[in-house]
Structures are given as C-alpha cells and as structure tokens.
Amino acid sequence: MEAKLLVISAGTHRRLGEVLAYALAGIDHETVTPAALPPALAGRRVVFAVSAGAWGLEEDFCRLVRRLRESPDCMEGSSAVVLVDGEGELYTKEAARMLVLAANQAGCAFPGKPLVEGTGSLHNLDVLSRRMGLPQAAVYRETARALVRRLQDFVPPRTARPHVLLLHASDHATSNTLALGGRVRELLAGDCEFEELSLRNGAVHDCRGCSYKVCAHYAQQNSCFYGGSIVDEVYPAMIRADVLMLLCPNYNDSVGANIMAFINRLTSLQLFHSLHDKYLYAIVVSGYSGSDLVAQQVLGALCLNKAFLLPPRFCLLETANDPGSALRAPGIGARLARFAASIRAAAGPADG
C-alpha cells in the first residue's frame, strides 16, 4: 500500500480546512477533489474530508458518492477514514454512513471508529471535551490528528482459521437470511470455525442507559445490569470471535428489535474488551427494498460507533420475500461465492 496519504476533499472548507492542516502537519500527502479523482484509488490510504454544509448534500459530496457507487472496484485494497464537518446540527452522520457504504462496496476497508465529525456548534464533542480537559475546537483538532495517525498504522489482522460468530434472531424454517448465512457457512467450512447464536432463545432486554460508573462496574465482571443470554452466551462468544456476521432481515427499514438490543448492550463489553481487531460482516435481506438503509445502520452502529473493523464489501444485500426464494434468485450462487471469498481473503491467513 502506498505510503503517501490521499486526501479527497469535498465541499467548501471553512473550519475543516484548519482542522485538516493540523491533522496532516508533517505527513506526506496529496489532495484531490471529487472532480479531479484519479482513475483508480486502489491500494491507497485515504482521508475523506467532507464539508457537508448546512444541508448535507453539497455538490462535491454527491459527485464523490456517485463516483464510488458507479465504480465498484475503484478502491480495491485501500483503507480510509472520514472527517465530516457541518454548519448545522444535522446530516454529518448521515453523510458519513452514506460515504462509508459507497467506498466499502468499492473495495475499501475502514478501521474501527473511522469517523471524526464536527456539528455546527461542536456540542457533539462535549463529552470528549470534559474527558480531555480541552475546549471543543481543540478536541476536534486532536481527534482528527489521532485518526489520521491510526490510518497510517492500520494493518488488518489475519488469522490462520478465523472464528466466525453467526448472530441472528430468525426462524430456520422460514428465514431467507438464515438460508443465505447457512450457504456462506458451507462455503467457508474448510477455512473458518463457526459458532451460531440465536437471540430468539430467551428474552433480550434493551440497554437501560446506566451511568458510566454503573456500566463499568458490571463490565469489570463481564456482565451487565440485566444479565440474561447477552451476558451468559453472547459476551463470551464475542470475546472468542475473530469475525461477527450479523444475519439481518429488514424490519421496517431497520434491524430487528433483538439485534438492536444486542448492539445497544455491547457498551458494557466494549469498556474492557477491544473490538478493533474484530471483523464485521452482515447479510441483509429485504422483502421489498431498503437493504442499503439497514447496511448503513449496521456499519454506523458497529464500525463508526462500537469500533468493529469494516472489511471490504462487508455486506451481502439481497431482495427476497417468499421463504426459500433467496436461494433461487438469479446469480445468487456467484454472489454467495464472492462474498465467501471476500471473507476468506480479508480475515484468513496472509498469502505466503
């Protein structure tokens, strides 16, 4: 991978220009705009620097996302992080999730927590400001600099035989999502160890929003206020896993309630167990449309927030309604084979 950073600068920078200058000081880099992107972005370390403006859809940003969507191999072998600056309180996270999904589907990997954002007021940095003892503007600069340096050092881990945790809340008798997950498991049986957990087996309470002190108290015991299957089964399985594969049917353009409760309850585990070296994959099946919305929700919650590593093309997105119809979809065999091969290539043993 080329050592020189590539900065893709989208939008008219005001405050972000100063943050970028601080973050990139002393680092060898080149800067391009979406209108002047090179034909290929493969094998690069990329900093996406986006000024989202007041409304989140600046012309430069739209041009960038379109280029990534229409060039599905243009970022093969690349890794990236994202800086997003807004003039208002909305749309920075929306822009980040849209951009990360587009780049990821074009072959780009993202380290855990690859986003630093600044809303118009910078109130989104209030908690970090108190923890770091710095004004919000200083926190913005320092976290941007730390993110760029993490990108420079980012090397995805490889495992001789990855341990894959299949996590779902579906019924084997009717679920298209589980059928696709089962086929991927068959394709990787010689390369990975698999463990399957169903969140249907017992009540899954959502997070109650404990204080940090209370959450940390339980986390020191690998536990949580509610206990139950999340603590007894899911936490130990997550610690063992090299790869988390979520099987996510689309429920009203969202993951299901039990999957969402699992995501929310990860905070306790995360306090004392790093998730940065754990790969995130997902299979999303929609009965009608909207798989991209669910994929953005999953990567937003578990990569941008909870710090899972996002490998290239982390999600398989399909549309199927009647039970069993997903495995009869035209071309599904080839798509499943590519998805399995991407897992093998990203998380498995290094070549040679």
Side-chain angles (χ1 to χ4, degrees):
M1 188 174 293
E2 186 171 334
K4 179 187 286 187
L5 293 187
L6 177 65
V7 180
I8 299 178
S9 173
T12 303
H13 298 329
R14 297 179 179 86
R15 181 174 59 186
L16 186 55
E18 180 183 333
V19 172
L20 264 178
Y22 185 84
L24 294 165
I27 294 175
D28 189 20
H29 67 279
E30 61 178 309
T31 301
V32 298
T33 65
L37 285 179
L41 305 168
R44 300 297 302 267
R45 297 185 191 270
V46 177
V47 177
F48 289 108
V50 176
S51 286
W55 316 116
L57 290 173
E58 298 292 293
E59 183 178 348
D60 261 3
F61 175 73
C62 294
R63 181 184 288 113
L64 173 58
V65 171
R66 176 170 175 169
R67 165 66 188 280
L68 295 171
R69 287 177 176 176
E70 68 188 12
S71 307
D73 300 313
C74 70
M75 296 198 72
E76 199 69 49
S78 292
S79 56
V81 295
V82 183
L83 302 174
V84 182
D85 189 80
E87 294 178 15
E89 300 307 293
L90 306 178
Y91 311 122
T92 52
K93 192 64 68 63
E94 177 189 54
R97 295 199 302 184
M98 188 186 304
L99 174 59
V100 168
L101 180 61
N104 180 259
Q105 292 296 84
C108 185
F110 290 83
K113 285 189 176 291
L115 170 66
V116 168
E117 58 179 326
T119 60
S121 67
L122 292 183
H123 284 325
N124 66 300
L125 299 174
D126 282 355
V127 173
L128 278 178
S129 176
R130 291 195 294 272
R131 288 181 183 172
M132 296 171 67
L134 295 171
Q136 295 142 318
V139 170
Y140 197 4
R141 293 191 297 270
E142 294 297 340
T143 52
R145 173 182 276 182
L147 182 63
V148 169
R149 280 152 179 74
R150 279 207 295 121
L151 174 64
Q152 289 183 297
D153 296 335
F154 176 56
V155 178
R158 307 298 292 266
T159 305
R161 190 171 174 83
H163 187 106
V164 180
L165 173 61
L166 288 172
L167 196 66
H168 65 86
S170 299
D171 184 346
H172 275 284
T174 59
S175 172
N176 279 301
T177 318
L178 283 186
L180 295 180
R183 188 60 56 86
V184 171
R185 182 173 183 168
E186 292 171 6
L187 291 168
L188 290 172
D191 303 289
C192 302
E193 298 288 346
F194 281 88
E195 181 175 4
E196 180 178 336
L197 282 179
S198 171
L199 297 177
R200 291 167 60 91
N201 300 332
V204 180
H205 295 285
D206 205 344
C207 177
R208 73 190 291 267
C210 292
S211 68
Y212 179 85
K213 183 177 180 180
V214 171
C215 189
H217 168 75
Y218 284 101
Q220 286 179 314
Q221 306 164 54
N222 286 329
S223 187
C224 173
F225 173 84
Y226 278 122
S229 61
I230 290 288
V231 170
D232 297 336
E233 299 179 75
V234 177
Y235 282 3
M238 282 299 312
I239 293 169
R240 289 190 294 270
D242 302 300
V243 174
L244 170 65
M245 186 181 297
L246 283 181
L247 307 181
C248 304
N250 180 347
Y251 289 98
N252 301 304
D253 295 331
S254 175
V255 299
N258 282 356
I259 295 290
M260 195 70 250
F262 154 74
I263 292 171
N264 291 340
R265 294 276 296 279
L266 275 179
T267 300
S268 179
L269 180 69
Q270 185 184 15
L271 288 176
F272 291 97
H273 296 278
S274 173
L275 303 176
H276 283 82
D277 287 342
K278 297 184 184 294
Y279 287 80
L280 171 66
Y281 286 94
I283 297 176
V284 180
V285 178
S286 295
Y288 302 96
S289 64
S291 291
D292 56 316
L293 298 180
V294 178
Q296 287 184 33
Q297 181 187 25
V298 170
L299 73 84
L302 291 174
C303 175
L304 304 189
N305 191 315
K306 298 296 184 189
F308 282 82
L309 190 163
L310 199 72
R313 302 181 185 90
F314 91 102
C315 54
L316 177 67
L317 308 178
E318 295 294 331
T319 302
N321 202 313
D322 296 333
S325 60
L327 289 176
R328 299 192 298 271
I332 188 61
R335 291 194 297 278
L336 285 167
R338 284 196 299 271
F339 186 62
S342 71
I343 297 171
R344 188 182 297 112
D351 294 338

